[in-house]
Amino acid sequence: MSKRALITGITGQDGSYLAELLLGKGYEVVGMVRRSSAPNNWRIEHLLDRITLAPADLLDQLSLLRLIDEVRPHEVYNLAAMSFVPASWDQPMLTGEFNAQGVTRMLDAVRRVDTSIKFYQASSSEMFGKVREVPQTELTPFYPRSPYGVSKVFAHYITVNYRESYHLFAVSGMLFNHESPRRGLEFVTRKVSDGVARIKLGLANTLSIGNLDAHRDWGFAGDYVLAMWKMLQQDRPDDYVIATGVSHSVRELVDIAFARVGLDWQKFVRVDPALLRPAEVDHLLGDAAKARAELGWTPEVDFKQLVEMMVDADMARLTAASAAHRVPTL
């Protein structure tokens, strides 16, 4: 009998890579989607004939109960969230509703319908925020520096609470930044790869960046979804840091991206103070030793390969669009 998985946030970067992974392992995949006037399915367009999409909303408890009851998944991957950190200052209440209470609603739906369902919660390196130690491990205290980070800390602990209180197989993956050609254009890595491609193709003249000195531990989303799956295949539920263990600055990101197309970044990049965060997270660096030892997980794509993959993809996309005399927005 094939396993059935429910993925919330299936239209996002991680959801699309996870759906591909699970389909490759013979899973039946159901994706939860919110009803919207303009479906955002570009990341899963190539999968639509192999997956099932079902309507529900993290803000609506009854819709979640009905969905879990109808689908009866063996595994639930809760990836849906308000995921863009800067926007969480503009909409702190809504961020909390989705990222904190939304997780509680999902966990409670699982608890009420079938406690044998395994549950994965997408935790975040942003929970470490103003870091207490470098690198960060599963035992590093949290100190979130944004409404997004705060909401993720709540979600993390409510997942632990349901695991301990109701004996659910519920785990959290504390994923550090993970990127891909499917990353949204609002994120700095994709903003850079898209901007570089536009400058190279004569579609733009400059690229505006906030903090060039911010450091992140960046990995490839395709590698990181494998860790999610591995967490739910263990004998007992536990939480894991998923990271490369190597930190890079935004300046390095920009340098590699422009070098890929043979350009000097200093001629095109403009630092814009308006793009700085109210409270910056300075040095996120993850230690995934526990995941390596217990899950047998290691990242395969390094930082340079990742940046070049993203630049190449945006060059191909924009070149094709220019040939068709139109430049699409995603």
Side-chain angles (χ1 to χ4, degrees):
M1 184 189 74
S2 66
K3 282 187 178 178
R4 188 161 47 254
L6 173 66
I7 303 173
T8 75
I10 194 168
T11 60
Q13 169 188 257
D14 293 6
S16 65
Y17 281 109
L18 179 61
E20 286 176 349
L21 175 77
L22 296 179
L23 288 169
K25 294 184 179 296
Y27 277 67
E28 179 185 337
V29 176
V30 179
M32 184 185 101
V33 290
R34 282 193 297 154
R35 292 200 187 280
S36 64
S37 54
N40 182 29
N41 290 340
W42 65 273
R43 294 181 183 90
I44 55 169
E45 207 82 56
H46 61 299
L47 303 175
L48 289 176
D49 59 340
R50 300 169 61 201
I51 62 178
T52 303
L53 298 182
D57 195 314
L58 287 178
L59 303 185
D60 182 358
Q61 179 74 18
L62 283 176
S63 72
L64 299 177
L65 276 165
R66 185 165 56 244
L67 177 66
I68 300 286
D69 188 43
E70 288 175 359
V71 173
R72 294 285 171 157
H74 300 93
E75 298 171 359
V76 171
Y77 295 86
N78 187 45
L79 311 184
M82 297 271 286
S83 62
F84 186 47
V85 177
S88 71
W89 277 282
D90 297 328
Q91 295 181 296
M93 301 294 286
L94 190 60
T95 298
E97 280 294 326
F98 272 112
N99 296 3
Q101 297 304 347
V103 179
T104 312
R105 294 183 191 104
M106 281 296 298
L107 284 163
D108 212 58
V110 167
R111 175 181 77 85
R112 290 172 184 277
V113 173
D114 182 357
T115 55
S116 73
I117 295 171
K118 293 185 174 183
F119 183 89
Y120 172 85
Q121 166 57 19
S123 281
S124 168
S125 59
E126 289 283 336
M127 300 188 303
F128 297 115
K130 189 174 182 179
V131 299
R132 305 292 187 89
E133 62 183 6
V134 179
Q136 294 89 54
T137 72
E138 292 79 7
L139 300 178
T140 302
F142 298 139
Y143 194 147
R145 297 268 280 172
S146 66
Y148 172 84
V150 172
S151 71
K152 283 291 188 177
V153 170
F154 180 101
H156 182 86
Y157 279 126
I158 200 69
T159 302
V160 171
N161 191 260
Y162 268 67
R163 177 169 73 216
E164 295 177 349
S165 302
Y166 301 112
H167 308 294
L168 296 183
F169 194 111
V171 306
S172 288
M174 291 174 265
L175 272 57
F176 280 63
N177 294 65
H178 46 290
E179 318 296 318
S180 76
R182 300 179 193 172
R183 194 56 142 151
L185 284 166
E186 67 272 25
F187 292 88
V188 68
T189 48
R190 185 67 197 292
K191 181 180 180 181
V192 168
S193 65
D194 177 75
V196 164
R198 288 178 185 274
I199 289 169
K200 180 64 176 178
L201 295 171
L203 301 170
N205 299 317
T206 59
L207 174 63
S208 294
I209 293 290
N211 185 3
L212 284 169
D213 297 316
H215 281 72
R216 294 289 183 273
D217 182 333
W218 276 300
F220 173 49
D223 288 341
Y224 284 38
V225 297
L226 177 61
M228 299 177 186
W229 176 77
K230 283 178 174 286
M231 286 180 216
L232 293 193
Q233 313 315 309
Q234 300 305 297
D235 293 332
R236 61 181 184 83
D238 205 352
D239 307 321
Y240 296 87
V241 163
I242 304 300
T244 69
V246 183
S247 182
H248 297 275
S249 68
V250 174
R251 194 183 306 274
E252 288 176 78
L253 162 68
V254 167
D255 190 26
I256 293 170
F258 275 93
R260 183 63 172 173
V261 296
L263 296 176
D264 177 0
W265 69 269
Q266 297 190 32
K267 295 179 181 177
F268 303 99
V269 170
R270 304 287 178 268
V271 174
D272 183 354
L275 297 175
L276 297 174
R277 293 183 180 189
E280 182 56 86
V281 170
D282 298 311
H283 200 179
L284 291 176
L285 179 65
D287 180 355
K290 181 179 171 183
R292 283 198 302 274
E294 297 184 11
L295 304 179
W297 177 85
T298 51
E300 295 189 1
V301 177
D302 69 23
F303 182 66
K304 186 169 185 283
Q305 291 171 315
L306 171 64
V307 176
E308 292 181 345
M309 173 204 305
M310 293 177 68
V311 171
D312 291 351
D314 276 322
M315 282 292 292
R317 176 179 63 89
L318 291 167
T319 299
S322 296
H325 304 296
R326 61 184 182 83
V327 178
T329 54
L330 296 180

